[in-house]
Amino acid sequence: MDMGRITVKVSDPAISIDKLSFNYGDRPVLNEINLVVPQGISFGILGANGAGKTTLVRLLVGQLNSVTGSIFVLGQAPSTAQSDSIGYMPQRNALYEALSVRENLEFFSRMLGLSNKHERSISVESAISLVGLKDRADDVVNQLSGGMRQRVSLAISMVHEPDLLLLDEPTVGLDPELRAMFWQQFKEITNTGKTIVISSHTMDDASHCDYLGFMRGGKFIATGTPDELRQSTGKSDSTLEDAFLHLSRKESDVS
């Protein structure tokens, strides 16, 4: 038993945010966000570049602070000390390009607290297999394509089997086949009771999520299931893009 690991009650939400605001200097980025994400689902944060998605993810993972309002992740205030319970895949990968895929996984798994060599080896090989890189495990990262590097980054975020995955634009630059593979893995992860939060600006990602939050101007303008958000337009054939544009116009009218 890992006595340092945070125990999460099933009844607790994975994420709870109340009136959260954040500024970069004098520039407001997030504006009184309220959000509850239950455990065991995939939650998509959908919005254009500059909407505040990456800032919110970085707050959730404990990389930023100095906020107003409250934010709790797995029942705790966000902190890098939660790294054994949270997996984080940043928008720009932080891989060691001179190391192989396996060496990168070995290094980051040690950093994430997998101290037992045998257990670490099993976790590393499992993560490599999950992202379909068994035949490239000994290749140096700088020899890999952009899509393969994305897979290595995803493997790193999952290697310690965290309760919560925070993924910032994980499918950017992936071809449709790789994107489908990622989403198959995400579904298998949430089926085990773990939670995934994904930021994205693509409607394809949005359509796979259990729940969505449409983000615009530093706040959520709507949350719900993909079907609920489509129905917000009042038209039976609406797409998620239609719903986003409809709700954005309504928000602009109110503002």
Side-chain angles (χ1 to χ4, degrees):
M1 178 182 296
D2 183 354
M3 298 302 292
R5 190 174 182 85
I6 296 168
T7 300
V8 183
K9 297 178 181 178
V10 174
S11 58
D12 290 338
I15 294 169
S16 179
I17 298 173
D18 183 52
K19 296 181 180 178
L20 172 69
S21 295
F22 180 84
N23 293 358
Y24 279 120
D26 295 331
R27 181 170 64 91
V29 180
L30 301 178
N31 181 23
E32 291 203 349
I33 287 177
N34 297 296
L35 181 68
V36 175
V37 178
Q39 294 181 46
I41 68 163
S42 57
F43 183 88
I45 304 171
L46 188 76
N49 292 334
K53 304 186 304 296
T54 293
T55 297
L56 179 56
V57 172
R58 292 185 68 196
L59 284 165
L60 291 169
V61 82
Q63 289 189 347
L64 297 173
N65 47 36
S66 299
V67 302
T68 59
S70 65
I71 177 169
F72 292 94
V73 179
L74 301 177
Q76 304 279 325
S79 165
T80 53
Q82 289 177 294
S83 59
D84 58 349
S85 297
I86 295 174
Y88 173 48
M89 180 178 174
Q91 190 171 1
R92 295 182 179 180
N93 71 61
L95 306 175
Y96 289 95
E97 298 199 351
L99 300 181
S100 70
V101 172
R102 182 177 284 110
E103 287 169 339
N104 267 275
L105 268 290
E106 283 278 353
F107 173 78
F108 282 103
S109 63
R110 289 197 300 270
M111 294 288 290
L112 290 164
L114 298 181
S115 56
N116 182 284
K117 185 175 181 179
H118 177 67
E119 292 178 358
R120 185 171 67 245
S121 177
I122 292 173
S123 296
V124 166
E125 297 307 316
S126 175
I128 290 171
S129 180
L130 275 172
V131 298
L133 287 176
K134 288 182 70 174
D135 59 337
R136 304 296 299 271
D138 294 315
D139 288 3
V140 176
V141 164
N142 64 16
Q143 298 174 348
L144 302 180
S145 67
M148 287 185 178
R149 294 183 194 200
Q150 286 284 87
R151 285 197 261 176
V152 178
S153 291
L154 178 61
I156 288 169
S157 73
M158 299 190 303
V159 69
H160 56 309
E161 299 183 7
D163 296 314
L164 172 64
L165 275 173
L166 297 169
L167 310 176
D168 194 3
E169 301 277 7
T171 65
V172 168
L174 299 185
D175 60 45
E177 185 177 353
L178 273 178
R179 184 173 287 144
M181 184 195 79
F182 269 37
W183 275 105
Q184 180 182 354
Q185 291 170 348
F186 297 159
K187 194 65 178 177
E188 292 172 359
I189 290 168
T190 55
N191 284 343
T192 69
K194 299 178 186 298
T195 309
I196 299 177
V197 174
I198 293 176
S199 78
S200 180
H201 61 268
T202 72
M203 295 300 164
D204 179 72
D205 282 341
S207 66
H208 287 89
C209 293
D210 297 317
Y211 286 86
L212 288 171
F214 284 166
M215 201 168 187
R216 181 177 181 270
K219 62 183 178 180
F220 287 109
I221 58 173
T223 58
T225 67
D227 282 344
E228 287 170 346
L229 294 170
R230 290 188 193 100
Q231 292 166 12
S232 68
T233 66
K235 299 177 181 179
S236 59
D237 60 346
S238 289
T239 64
L240 281 172
E241 185 173 8
D242 294 331
F244 187 85
L245 292 172
H246 169 74
L247 291 163
S248 291
R249 292 189 190 105
K250 284 185 66 175
E251 179 67 19
S252 295
D253 291 342
V254 171
S255 302

